[in-house]
Amino acid sequence: AVYFIDGEPVFAESNAEGETLEAAVIGSGLITAEQASTLSSALVPGQTFALALVEEVNLDEGKLLSVLRANSRNICLNLFALTAGPYRFEHGEGHVEGYPRFPQNPIELIATGLRRFVTPDVLASRLRLFMGRYVVRTEKFDRFRLHLASSNAEQGWLDAVDGSRTLRGLAALNAANQREFLAFISVLRAADMIDFLDDPRITAERSPSKRPLTEFADALPINVSPSEFLEDDTELESRIEEITARLSGGITYAQLLDVEE
């Protein structure tokens, strides 16, 4: 499971072998495999492995957060190795509550993930159908470029993508490193920084083959008014006053909601 806020992955968890928190903590050398096994078998209802590490093993919270950060990134990168499988999106801010947040650069993740798990030859081969088309910048090119970790040579390749040359023409300019160049172009395409058109275009725009952004805005669900669920504003105000009074009287949120702390 990968949790996103405003398009950025902020946390990830997995029960796949080698990606669990137990495996990450053992791999970091903070506890042994035997300690992890004993700790897992002794968990009480409602107690997480992370909480047990702090409470039972007295593991420093800062070290635990460092492991969680590294493991979240590792899980996100390993997703690029998957070639098939079902998935689903679930919307709602409640999904990230209770988890630490480690915002990650999605553009850097795309570039690193593809380079780590897909060979340059395969990345380059994905562009065969576009060799005669012009490589143009999308509206995201300049903004995403700031978040793309690239070498000096790749910075030169980015500058060369000005919308006036076909992919074949650009590849000819970089004949000495053609495979690496085409692999880099494939990464830019995956990050939606470039597109391929039949005609040149020197401006950075949203491509005509993609839905206008205004259509996405129009498709957003309209917020439902509380009045559709309450008889009138007086009832809502009364409930708010009641809750505020109970909280002011010393009741905790857990007691208010009748749930465990």
Side-chain angles (χ1 to χ4, degrees):
V2 181
Y3 301 84
F4 290 83
I5 296 179
D6 294 332
E8 289 188 353
V10 296
F11 188 71
E13 57 184 348
S14 171
N15 58 8
E17 184 177 357
E19 293 184 342
T20 63
L21 176 57
E22 292 95 318
V25 176
I26 294 170
S28 67
L30 294 177
I31 63 173
T32 65
E34 291 74 20
Q35 286 177 307
S37 176
T38 301
L39 202 61
S40 295
S41 60
L43 291 178
V44 300
Q47 185 183 36
T48 64
F49 185 79
L51 188 61
L53 284 171
V54 175
E55 294 179 341
E56 308 296 336
V57 186
N58 295 320
L59 184 66
D60 180 73
E61 289 189 33
K63 293 181 179 179
L64 177 59
L65 289 174
S66 295
V67 172
L68 282 170
R69 182 188 302 276
N71 198 45
S72 289
R73 172 177 166 77
N74 184 58
I75 292 170
C76 289
L77 288 175
N78 286 343
L79 290 173
F80 287 88
L82 301 179
T83 57
Y87 65 90
R88 71 174 184 271
F89 292 107
E90 294 184 4
H91 296 272
E93 295 181 359
H95 291 297
V96 297
E97 294 302 323
Y99 291 103
R101 299 180 185 181
F102 311 114
Q104 300 182 62
N105 179 342
I107 307 307
E108 187 273 333
L109 280 178
I110 291 172
T112 303
L114 287 176
R115 287 163 165 166
R116 178 177 296 184
F117 293 105
V118 187
T119 66
D121 287 333
V122 172
L123 286 173
S125 69
R126 294 176 178 178
L127 302 177
R128 282 196 298 262
L129 298 176
F130 305 106
M131 295 302 292
R133 295 188 180 180
Y134 290 87
V135 186
V136 300
R137 301 182 179 190
T138 70
E139 81 283 8
K140 304 170 187 173
F141 185 90
D142 290 327
R143 181 159 51 92
F144 285 7
R145 178 175 181 169
L146 299 174
H147 303 286
L148 181 68
S150 52
S151 65
N152 290 333
E154 291 167 346
Q155 288 294 332
W157 295 342
L158 285 165
D159 292 334
V161 177
D162 59 6
S164 66
R165 301 180 182 89
T166 64
L167 181 58
R168 181 176 289 109
L170 286 172
L173 290 176
N174 300 280
N177 304 99
Q178 191 170 103
R179 184 187 68 160
E180 290 73 16
F181 168 76
L182 290 175
F184 184 68
I185 291 294
S186 187
V187 169
L188 297 183
R189 179 176 177 241
D192 200 24
M193 293 174 61
I194 62 164
D195 201 356
F196 302 103
L197 299 182
D198 293 330
D199 300 306
R201 189 188 73 197
I202 60 174
T203 55
E205 303 174 15
R206 189 166 183 82
S207 297
S209 61
K210 298 189 175 181
R211 291 173 56 188
L213 292 177
T214 52
E215 289 188 23
F216 290 102
D218 294 340
L220 292 176
I222 300 174
N223 290 329
V224 180
S225 169
S227 62
E228 295 188 26
F229 299 97
L230 301 168
E231 293 182 358
D232 53 44
D233 291 342
T234 305
E235 182 182 348
L236 178 59
E237 291 175 2
S238 176
R239 288 177 58 184
I240 292 175
E241 290 176 358
E242 176 192 350
I243 291 172
T244 303
R246 294 181 66 190
L247 289 172
S248 299
I251 189 173
T252 67
Y253 286 110
Q255 291 170 331
L256 179 69
L257 299 172
D258 193 25
V259 296
E260 296 291 335
E261 289 284 355

